Every structure is written in C-alpha cells, then in structure tokens.
Amino acid sequence: MRKILLVLFTALIHFSLLAQKTGDTYSFEFKNIDRLKAIETIEASTPYHFYFEKEWMNSDKSLISGSYKNVTITTLLESLFNNTSLNFYVTKNKIILTQNNVIHEKLAANYFGAIKSENINKDSNDLTGKPIFYQQYDSINKSYTKNNNGVVFIGKETTITDAKFCTITGTIINTTTGKPESNIVIKVRNKNISTISDNEGNYSIKLPTGTNIIETRSLSHKKTVKTLVVYNNGELNINIAENSNQLDEVFIKGKGSKALESVVSGVISIDIEAMKNMPLILGERDILKVATTLPGVKTTGEGSAGFNVRGGKDDQNLFLLDNAVLYNPQHFLGFFSSINPYTAKKATIYKGSIPADLGGRLSSVFDITTKNGNPETITGEGAIGPITSNLSVSVPLEKNKSSILFGGRATYSDWVLKSLKNDDLANSQASFYDGILKYNNALNKNNSLESTLYYSHDKFSLSSDSIYSYSNRLASVKWDHSFDEKNKGAVILTNSEYKYDIDYNTTLKNAFVSGYKLNETQLMLKFNYLYSNKHKFQYGLSSKLYKVDPGFLNPTKPDATLKPITIDSEKGLESAFYVSDNFKISDKLSLDLGLRYSLYASLGESDQRIYQPNVPLNDATVIETKHYGNNEVVTTYGTFEPRLAARYLLAEDLSIKAGYDKTSQYIHLLSSNVTQSPTDTWVLSNLNIKPQTAQQASIGIFKNFSNNLYEVSLETYYKKSKNILDYKVGAQLQLNENVETELLQGEGKAYGIEFLVKKQFGRLNGWIGYTYSRTFIKLDSQFNEEKVNNGDYFPTNYDKPHDLSMILNYKFTKRYSFSSNFVYQTGRPITYPIGTYQYNNSNYTLYSDRNAFRIPDYYRLDVGINIEGNHKIKKLAHSFWNISVYNVLGRANPYSIYFVTDGNGQVKAFKTSIFSIPVPSITYNFKF
C-alpha cells in the first residue's frame, strides 16, 4: 500500500512540474520559413529539444508565416503542426514528434486481455484497443521501416474524437497504363463493407475509425491488400496490376459482377483483347462484329455497314472514339471495323439507360476508349493476316509520367484481287488504312492531359469506271482536374470530319467528280461531385457546331454535257445541360436520376422554302423562299430528356432493374439503300425537317450462379419514336437542294425480349444470346402520296424477330483451345412483285405492300483453333496463332433478292450472297 502511495505521490509531483513548465509563455515571429527551421528556432530560444526523423520534414515543402505573442509551448506546437500528419508529446524538456498517431499516457483497457468493466478507466485518452506497431527497427541499416502489411495512415489521430466512421475517397489506377480502372471492387476484410469504382476509376467508401484491411477484387487484375489506419476523412489512390492470365479465361464481360450490382441496365462492356479467340472473317479481330453477337444489336445482313440496336435505324447510334464522334465506323463496305482492336482499351455499349451526359442519338451509344501508352517501357503488339496487317507501339516520353501510343493498320487486298483469274475482279481495287496517335501526361497529382488523333481512309472500285473514296478524321483533347477529394472535372474539346468523293473517270462526256463533307466541333465541361456515400452527382454542359457541305458535282471534260452543281452548306448548333444523381437509398435499392435538356438552333446562311401548312411539300405548295444571313437563327428546337434507372437487390446474387429514357436527334442520315453505305449523306434539322424523338422503357432481372461463374439476364423493352425519316418511292436524295420534298416522317414502335447466359471462365466458357424483337413504322397522311401501306404500321427493313448467337471456347491446355460461333437470324423484310397489269397497252409490274415478304433465314457456323506461344517470361515477343474457317457449312446466305423480267415477260428472282463458301484464314499475332 505504501509503495502505491509513493508511486502516486511521485506522479503528482511529475505532472505538477510539467504543468508549470509547459505553462510558460513564449513569443516568436516566423516569416516564410520551413518547419525544420521553425523547430531549430524554438530549440534555440527555449529549453525544449525535439526528437523526430528529419525525412518527415523533407516531404513537406510548405512555408510558415505567423506572429505568436506570449503563447504556451502547447499552443505554439498545435499551430505549427495543424495541417500536417505530425503529432507531438511534451515531457519535461523533450518534445517527441510522431507521424499520425498519438503517444498515450495510459494503456488500453483491453491491452492485456479482458478486464472487469468496473476497473476500466474511462479517461478519454485511453486507447480503444491493442496498439499495432507499424514500424520495426532495422539493426543493420539502423533505421525504422514499415512492416510488410503496407500500412497506410489516413489523417492523424487526436486524443478526443467522436467520429465512428470516416469517408475515404480515391482513384484506382492501372500500374501499367497509368489510367484509372472502372468496376474494381474494394472490400473491407471480415466486414460487410464494399464499394465499386465508377467509370472514371473513382471510389468512395465509409470505414470505421481505427484499423481496416481492404483489398481490391477484379477478374482482370491482381488482388491488392492494404492495411489502413483511419483517423479522419481522407484520400487514398490504389495502384493495381493487370492479371496476365485474364485473356485465357474471359471472352466478354457485361461489367463483371457490375451487371448484377450496377443501377443501369442494357449496358455491356466488350473485353477487346479476349476477342482473339473468336473465329472472325479473314482472321480480323473486330469489336463491332462481336457486338452483333450480343442481344439487341443487329445488322441488316452480312457485309452491312450499319447497326440496328433495339429497333433503331442505322443513323440512331452514336459512335464515340475518345469522346469524338466517328461517323462511319466501317471499312470496305462494312466487312471490317475502322476501329483498331490493338489500340482500343474498352468498348461500352449503351442500348438502354443512356447516361445523362451523352445524347444526340435515339437508340444507342458505342463508347470506345483507346489505350494509354506505357509510361515505363517500350511495348508493342501486332498481327499479320491474309488481308490486313496491324501494329501498335507505345513509347514512354517521361518515365512514369507521359507516353505516346501509335497504331496503324493497312490492307493489301489490291494484290489479292489482281492475283485472281476473274478478269472483272482483277481490274477492281479495294484498299483501306487507318492510324491513331494518342498522347497522355500525368501532369501532377491533380491534373492529367490526354489527346487523340485518328484518320481512316477507304478507296474502292469494283468492276466499274467509278472510284469511290471516303475518310474519317477526328481529334480530341481532354484535361482532367481534381479540385479536391470530392470535386473533379474535365474539359473536352473534339473535332470530327467525314467526307466522301466519287471520281467517274470515263471516256464519255459525262465524266465528273462529286463529293460530300460533314464537320463538327464540340466543347464539353463535365464535373463529378461526391456529396456523400449515398449521393454521387454528375453535371455539365456541352455545345456542338455542325457544318455540312451537302455535295457538289463538277464535270471533268471540256465538252461535258453535265452542269456543275453545288448545294448550299448547312449549319446547326446543338447544346445541352445535364445533371444526374446516383442515389443509394439503401444497400438494396439504388436510383440513377438524370435530367438533360437539349437545345438545337438551325443557322444561316441559307435559303429556306416556306410551304403551305398541312399539305404535301412540293414545288407547287411553296409560299416563299426566305433568306437567312450568316449565323442567323432559322429555327430552334428544344427537348427535355429525362433519364431514370432503378435497381433493387432481391438477394446478393439476384437483382431487378427498370429504366426509362427520352432521347432526341437533330441530324439524320439519308439513304435509299437497305443498309448504310459510304455515299449516304447526313442532313440537319431545319424549318422543314423536324428532329427525331424516342421514349424507351425497360425492365430486367439479373442472376449470378456458382460464385459469379455464370451470369444470366432477361430484359424486355418497349420503344416509341416520332418523326422517323423515310422516303417517297423513287426519291432523289443526292445533290437535291430541296431534299425535304422527297422525305416522309412517321411514327415508330419497337419491342423485344433479350436473354443472355454467360460462363465467365473455366475450360469451357462463352455465352449464348437470344433476342425476340419486332420493329414497325407508320407513314400516315391524309394525302396518298405521303401514305404507305394504307397508313398502317408495317415492318421496317431491319425487322428480324429471331436472333440467336452462341459463342463457345474450349481450352484443351494453356496453349491450345478450340472456338466456335453459331448465328441464326430471321430473314429481313422485302417487297416482292406479285403480278402484272396492263395500262395504255403497256405492261407493268404490280408490287406487294412494302416489306410484306421476307428473304430466307440466315445461319452460319464458324470454327477456329487458337495456339498460344510458349509461356517463357524472357523472350523477345509472345505470340498467338489463330486458324479459323468462316462459314464452315458453306451456306449461301442471301444478302438480297433482285428481280429481272426476261424476254417472255416473266419476272424471275435472283439471290445474291456475300460469302457462299467456307473462308479459311490464318493470323499471326505478337506482343512485346
């Protein structure tokens, strides 16, 4: 008992002396000095001596200025280390500095195990648990080092805190590319706390104060584990490494487990590099061909240049390459994609629940992002095939900071055509090439810059005197800035140009050159605001200037019989404002609420015809022609475009989703062909051509089985649209200065159900997708010349009720695998001649109602063998062989049906096919 009293008496004397000493006051004047200099000044003017690691001061470059009059040493130190990670402890004449944590005067109540509650000291300075020693002494280097747990401190500890949870935000970054990674799961070990990084790689998670072990999870990246000691809200960026085995296991992923957990539906991400296992035409990897094997995405036929998504027309799809619009995403009349698969990083297809920041098209958005160059070392990838060759090279400019990526592709199909024995084909030509250049620079912690330049060119002439050429050019610049841990923004400037030329080179007098050009420039401001763990806001605005040169025709012979034609150019300004909120109501229920308002202005200089109201548009109904000056507003259209998506988790592996979208489109594609062609032209909305609008509602159920090994989804949708463009019989669309007189605008409706089952990995993997859908259009009017099929709904040219795709891959070993595709589609609608009649002693053909019949159904089987090179780490390059046979059954699938009247007046039908025999190919791929 006496010993205890002696100890208490000694402690009281110690704390009394300490209180007297620390109660002394001092005066200092600091002016633009660093903390190390301030510490030296305090030591020189007071009896105190500091103990710390000098490297702690070297990392802090901030300067101190301030006047302190008659303050205690404690007050002075609190001000000195206020905005740092340093804490201090004063004992006698010693000041001990620590990083993040506090030196406690009492041990935790449970430090030595369980203690009866009545013996616990409730002093606020007690520890809340056993301390963790985050540093260990290295006797060889005579220094303290972090242990192997990779401990990270967030904020700094205080002696008194009421916070039970803190919010940690940050970005998931790929260590190879230096770019953010989306859809990465961040989970707290042994706790039911997790989150997922968004499309920009950002995440936010609420953690309990104290020690937390977090880990990242992704099928395509290695697991990263970190021990966090959380004291306050803070920021933590996490670097993750790619999993080198991912391409052996996965073909395509609908955002992985994100397909189940994300709020929006109708969104699919394509794993681009994993396409190497698919047997495709002539061995060419093709992002867009893979897209057509997914439910809801179709084409009108083999070799088609356009896409039809959930009942939409070819022109209702927005193709974005690094935020810039790509107007013609196809090479060689639709046989190849103009997007280089060796430079593309990811492709996300929004066929429903389109984000509020994207607009301008009714049906879908194909958002394609190119890779960033490797900022650490030179890398490359390429392929040599029977028709094309590919090469992409990445070069670091400033190590771990900036790089440049170049990708190029070209075909040598001309050489193939000339080697054939067919004289017509030997005189033909068909070639294309494309190139892309991307620069990225991580300027500093809060700023990054990336820019992209892209160009593609096609040229062909198939057994004729006409040489057709068309090209895409685009450029984009994006500056990302982080204002703080909750506010991020981006400024994006893009320019896109599409043009084509026709050179009709003949010995006749009617030789000519003709062309068309479309150019657009867009500025976008995008912002993200992390209000809380429940509300993630996105908002911004954009403005796009269109300039269209509808076409020209110039004779090339001095004695030409043709007259030069030049159609006046068109201009339009499309702007939009948007705001969206990803609202997490509970762990089960989440909403994605989006509001978008778009405003379009048709601009001069132009001459606009004014027609009589409620009558057909033709030369006879013109009231006047009105002239509008340069940049004068001709007319305006505005559309409110709400976006709503909801997800409810019925169980951990089962969710139901619903969505509603309204979209508008102010630019239209004019095409009298069944499918999109390079010589089609785009026209802007004006006084006489109204913008298209659509509304779509969808609902779906998503289920995962066997620990996410299998994914199953079932979605259904219904869509209504207005002012859909169609054409009068025999319409003249090219080089027509009054093209509105050839157009019809009607109503459309589409509905369908989509089923998808995928096996993510294992020896046997792949997916099966099935869609049942219908698409109709109604062209009704009180005037017969504007009425089609009596004004009733009738199937569109791209209405294909049944669509089945099966993509399967089987791995025999790590190096050898077998893959196959099977595709079945209902034949598309067609108009048939059904009889003949005589009028004024002349014979005429009588045709059915428009699209009353169908061409035969389409089905095709492809097979391939994939051979990986050996898996030695140290070698010049890693290789991969693909040997495939396209249309192995040799089915002559009909592309179109045409009719010819013979000499006896009989109308006969003939079928055309693109690939009517098996097409073998072998492709060598390499990567270094």
Side-chain angles (χ1 to χ4, degrees):
M1 184 64 181
R2 290 179 179 178
K3 291 183 178 179
I4 295 175
L5 291 175
L6 181 61
V7 170
L8 291 175
F9 179 72
T10 304
L12 287 172
I13 294 176
H14 168 73
F15 286 115
S16 176
L17 292 174
L18 180 61
Q20 292 176 6
K21 195 68 180 177
T22 56
D24 293 342
T25 60
Y26 304 93
S27 298
F28 291 95
E29 186 79 27
F30 299 138
K31 187 175 182 180
N32 293 330
I33 62 173
D34 58 31
R35 284 185 174 80
L36 182 59
K37 183 65 176 177
I39 288 173
E40 293 172 351
T41 302
I42 295 172
E43 287 183 326
S45 305
T46 70
Y48 292 98
H49 184 72
F50 287 78
Y51 296 87
F52 60 92
E53 291 284 345
K54 283 191 175 181
E55 64 182 30
W56 299 347
M57 303 300 168
N58 295 335
S59 60
D60 185 4
K61 303 298 182 183
S62 60
L63 300 179
I64 303 169
S65 294
S67 179
Y68 302 91
K69 301 295 184 183
N70 299 321
V71 297
T72 64
I73 192 67
T74 301
T75 302
L76 177 63
L77 296 179
E78 286 175 348
S79 176
L80 187 63
F81 301 119
N82 181 36
N83 294 319
T84 71
S85 62
L86 298 176
N87 276 317
F88 63 89
Y89 179 74
V90 182
T91 174
K92 295 184 179 181
N93 293 334
K94 299 176 182 179
I95 299 175
I96 302 172
L97 302 185
T98 60
Q99 271 199 317
N100 304 100
N101 55 319
V102 170
I103 295 178
H104 293 264
E105 295 173 357
K106 298 180 178 65
L107 292 175
N110 61 343
Y111 182 74
F112 293 108
I115 300 177
K116 293 182 179 180
S117 60
E118 61 267 20
N119 296 328
I120 297 177
N121 189 326
K122 296 299 184 181
D123 191 290
S124 61
N125 202 30
D126 282 352
L127 290 174
T128 57
K130 286 189 177 182
I132 300 177
F133 296 98
Y134 302 109
Q135 295 185 326
Q136 57 189 15
Y137 187 72
D138 186 340
S139 59
I140 298 176
N141 298 319
K142 299 186 183 302
S143 63
Y144 288 92
T145 60
K146 286 186 177 180
N147 65 13
N148 294 328
N149 290 332
V151 175
V152 178
F153 292 90
I154 304 294
K156 70 177 181 180
E157 185 182 8
T158 58
T159 56
I160 300 176
T161 178
D162 294 328
K164 295 183 179 180
F165 289 89
C166 299
T167 300
I168 310 302
T169 60
T171 305
I172 308 297
I173 300 172
N174 187 311
T175 55
T176 302
T177 65
K179 287 294 292 180
E181 286 288 349
S182 61
N183 308 316
I184 304 299
V185 177
I186 303 98
K187 181 173 175 57
V188 183
R189 186 176 292 177
N190 300 325
K191 296 177 183 177
N192 189 25
I193 302 174
S194 64
T195 188
I196 300 176
S197 61
D198 62 19
N199 290 335
E200 301 297 327
N202 301 319
Y203 75 93
S204 174
I205 189 169
K206 186 171 286 188
L207 301 178
T209 54
T211 304
N212 297 270
I213 300 177
I214 65 170
E215 58 186 37
T216 63
R217 295 181 178 180
S218 170
L219 291 175
S220 55
H221 297 83
K222 296 178 181 178
K223 179 189 293 185
T224 299
V225 180
K226 288 185 178 295
T227 300
L228 269 59
V229 181
V230 179
Y231 295 131
N232 305 107
N233 297 338
E235 183 177 353
L236 174 67
N237 295 329
I238 304 175
N239 296 319
I240 60 174
E242 294 181 354
N243 186 348
S244 59
N245 294 325
Q246 64 164 320
L247 300 183
D248 293 333
E249 303 295 341
V250 183
F251 279 116
I252 190 166
K253 54 182 181 182
K255 293 187 178 290
S257 61
K258 188 78 170 179
L260 176 75
E261 298 177 356
S262 68
V263 180
V264 297
S265 61
V267 182
I268 298 178
S269 288
I270 297 177
D271 188 341
I272 294 173
E273 292 193 55
M275 295 187 310
K276 67 181 185 179
N277 291 325
M278 290 187 61
L280 297 171
I281 182 64
L282 298 175
E284 181 77 9
R285 294 191 202 179
D286 195 319
I287 298 171
L288 302 182
K289 288 293 188 295
V290 174
T292 61
T293 66
L294 304 172
V297 183
K298 303 179 182 180
T299 65
T300 54
E302 204 163 42
S304 300
F307 296 87
N308 309 110
V309 179
R310 285 191 171 178
K313 291 183 63 180
D314 298 1
D315 66 334
Q316 295 174 358
N317 309 302
L318 180 65
F319 290 90
L320 297 176
L321 182 62
D322 285 351
N323 300 296
V325 178
L326 185 63
Y327 274 91
N328 193 328
Q330 301 281 21
H331 279 310
F332 195 32
L333 302 176
F335 290 113
F336 303 101
S337 165
S338 61
I339 300 164
N340 191 330
Y342 294 91
T343 59
K345 177 185 177 182
K346 66 177 181 179
T348 304
I349 303 172
Y350 298 93
K351 55 184 180 176
S353 298
I354 297 174
D357 64 317
L358 300 176
R361 298 294 188 273
L362 296 192
S363 294
S364 72
V365 176
F366 288 67
D367 189 7
I368 301 164
T369 305
T370 59
K371 299 176 182 176
N372 273 355
N374 190 327
E376 296 182 356
T377 184
I378 297 177
T379 58
E381 189 174 8
I384 302 173
I387 299 296
T388 65
S389 286
N390 240 308
L391 180 65
S392 67
V393 179
S394 170
V395 179
L397 300 179
E398 186 175 353
K399 192 170 180 63
N400 298 324
K401 186 176 181 180
S402 63
S403 63
I404 192 167
L405 173 72
F406 168 77
R409 177 173 53 163
T411 182
Y412 25 84
S413 52
D414 275 351
W415 174 82
V416 176
L417 292 173
K418 294 183 185 302
S419 65
L420 299 177
K421 295 182 180 180
N422 187 301
D423 292 336
D424 290 336
L425 291 178
N427 294 324
S428 300
Q429 57 177 302
S431 63
F432 63 81
Y433 63 87
D434 58 61
I436 190 168
L437 188 68
K438 185 170 185 181
Y439 167 79
N440 65 280
N441 191 330
L443 300 172
N444 52 46
K445 178 183 177 181
N446 295 324
N447 296 277
S448 64
L449 180 70
E450 63 180 44
S451 61
T452 302
L453 297 174
Y454 170 86
Y455 183 78
S456 71
H457 184 270
D458 279 69
K459 186 177 181 180
F460 63 93
S461 175
L462 301 178
S463 303
S464 71
D465 296 322
S466 296
I467 298 177
Y468 297 83
S469 62
Y470 61 95
S471 63
N472 291 280
R473 175 187 56 76
L474 62 83
S476 70
V477 179
K478 181 182 180 183
W479 171 38
D480 287 299
H481 176 70
S482 177
F483 298 96
D484 52 46
E485 62 184 24
K486 289 191 173 184
N487 291 276
K488 302 182 188 304
V491 180
I492 304 170
L493 179 65
T494 69
N495 178 266
S496 301
E497 181 183 88
Y498 173 73
K499 65 178 182 180
Y500 73 77
D501 295 286
I502 303 173
D503 184 1
Y504 182 53
N505 188 9
T506 178
T507 57
L508 303 177
K509 294 182 180 181
N510 59 345
F512 66 87
V513 292
S514 179
Y516 167 89
K517 184 169 69 174
L518 164 63
N519 186 282
E520 72 163 53
T521 302
Q522 180 172 217
L523 176 65
M524 293 175 280
L525 302 177
K526 295 186 174 184
F527 300 94
N528 295 325
Y529 174 46
L530 181 63
Y531 176 76
S532 67
N533 201 34
K534 287 191 174 183
H535 292 276
K536 299 177 183 178
F537 291 99
Q538 292 183 327
Y539 60 98
L541 53 89
S542 64
S543 192
K544 177 187 296 187
L545 178 65
Y546 296 101
K547 185 176 181 181
V548 179
D549 293 325
F552 68 88
L553 185 147
N554 293 323
T556 56
K557 299 290 185 180
D559 54 348
T561 58
L562 299 174
K563 293 182 179 181
I565 301 175
T566 300
I567 308 299
D568 293 339
S569 62
E570 305 174 46
K571 280 196 295 186
L573 183 65
E574 179 183 341
S575 302
F577 169 80
Y578 73 92
V579 60
S580 66
D581 178 18
N582 191 307
F583 180 21
K584 184 179 180 181
I585 299 176
S586 66
D587 290 338
K588 291 187 175 183
L589 179 61
S590 292
L591 302 178
D592 199 307
L593 308 172
L595 300 177
R596 178 184 176 90
Y597 184 80
S598 60
L599 179 65
Y600 173 81
S602 176
L603 303 177
E605 184 176 9
S606 68
D607 292 321
Q608 294 284 319
R609 279 182 164 188
I610 311 297
Y611 295 89
Q612 297 177 27
N614 302 319
V615 296
L617 306 186
N618 54 51
D619 294 341
T621 60
V622 177
I623 299 175
E624 63 172 316
T625 299
K626 189 174 181 179
H627 178 77
Y628 293 87
N630 187 35
N631 293 329
E632 182 179 356
V633 176
V634 177
T635 187
T636 60
Y637 297 99
T639 308
F640 177 61
E641 306 176 33
R643 315 283 171 87
L644 171 64
R647 182 226 65 204
Y648 186 79
L649 285 173
L650 300 172
E652 289 187 357
D653 56 0
L654 179 64
S655 69
I656 186 170
K657 303 180 188 181
Y660 169 81
D661 294 64
K662 184 177 181 181
T663 51
S664 61
Q665 182 169 332
Y666 302 99
I667 185 169
H668 321 269
L669 185 67
L670 304 182
S671 175
S672 58
N673 301 311
V674 172
T675 182
Q676 183 178 343
S677 75
T679 56
D680 294 338
T681 59
W682 294 81
V683 63
L684 300 176
S685 295
N686 54 35
L687 276 176
N688 301 302
I689 302 177
K690 297 178 181 180
Q692 305 175 61
T693 60
Q695 298 181 73
Q696 177 181 252
S698 62
I699 188 170
I701 188 166
F702 300 79
K703 170 71 175 176
N704 288 356
F705 296 93
S706 303
N707 195 24
N708 295 334
L709 178 62
Y710 296 94
E711 287 187 13
V712 178
S713 64
L714 185 67
E715 296 182 75
T716 183
Y717 66 90
Y718 184 81
K719 181 191 294 185
K720 288 280 289 184
S721 50
K722 293 183 178 180
N723 300 325
I724 305 301
L725 257 64
D726 211 299
Y727 317 100
K728 297 178 180 178
V729 177
Q732 173 59 41
L733 301 179
Q734 291 185 335
L735 299 175
N736 187 341
E737 60 183 2
N738 301 309
V739 71
E740 68 271 9
T741 62
E742 306 287 351
L743 304 180
L744 301 174
Q745 289 194 279
E747 299 179 5
K749 67 177 180 180
Y751 55 85
I753 186 167
E754 301 167 354
F755 173 76
L756 179 67
V757 57
K758 289 188 294 182
K759 187 173 184 288
Q760 297 278 51
F761 36 82
R763 282 186 175 270
L764 178 66
N765 56 73
W767 71 92
I768 299 175
Y770 170 75
T771 303
Y772 176 80
S773 62
R774 298 304 309 271
T775 307
F776 301 93
I777 188 172
K778 181 170 72 172
L779 301 170
D780 194 13
S781 172
Q782 57 182 320
F783 305 99
N784 288 332
E785 64 181 279
E786 295 183 335
K787 183 183 295 187
V788 177
N789 288 8
N790 296 318
D792 298 326
Y793 277 106
F794 63 92
T796 63
N797 292 332
Y798 43 90
D799 174 62
K800 295 182 173 183
H802 299 283
D803 186 353
L804 173 69
S805 296
M806 292 190 294
I807 313 298
L808 301 176
N809 179 57
Y810 185 79
K811 292 178 64 65
F812 297 103
T813 67
K814 289 185 177 181
R815 293 186 58 193
Y816 298 93
S817 64
F818 171 82
S819 56
S820 64
N821 305 342
F822 177 77
V823 179
Y824 168 81
Q825 293 178 343
T826 306
R828 63 174 179 81
I830 190 173
T831 304
Y832 276 0
I834 57 176
T836 60
Y837 64 94
Q838 287 188 340
Y839 181 75
N840 289 338
N841 297 322
S842 297
N843 292 325
Y844 294 90
T845 301
L846 177 65
Y847 283 87
S848 67
D849 286 345
R850 189 181 295 189
N851 293 344
F853 295 88
R854 292 184 180 274
I855 65 175
D857 292 350
Y858 177 100
Y859 65 85
R860 190 191 77 244
L861 175 66
D862 316 319
V863 297
I865 298 175
N866 312 296
I867 307 173
E868 291 272 6
N870 66 65
H871 291 176
K872 292 181 180 179
I873 297 177
K874 295 184 178 180
K875 62 179 182 178
L876 180 62
H878 294 267
S879 60
F880 173 83
W881 289 89
N882 174 267
I883 305 170
S884 63
V885 181
Y886 186 86
N887 191 19
V888 69
L889 300 178
R891 175 173 166 78
N893 285 299
Y895 176 75
S896 65
I897 305 291
Y898 65 96
F899 303 91
V900 175
T901 302
D902 62 16
N904 298 323
Q906 295 286 330
V907 178
K908 294 184 178 180
F910 294 88
K911 178 178 69 175
T912 60
S913 299
I914 304 298
F915 295 103
S916 58
I917 59 173
V919 182
S921 64
I922 181 170
T923 304
Y924 174 71
N925 301 266
F926 57 91
K927 189 174 185 178
F928 60 89

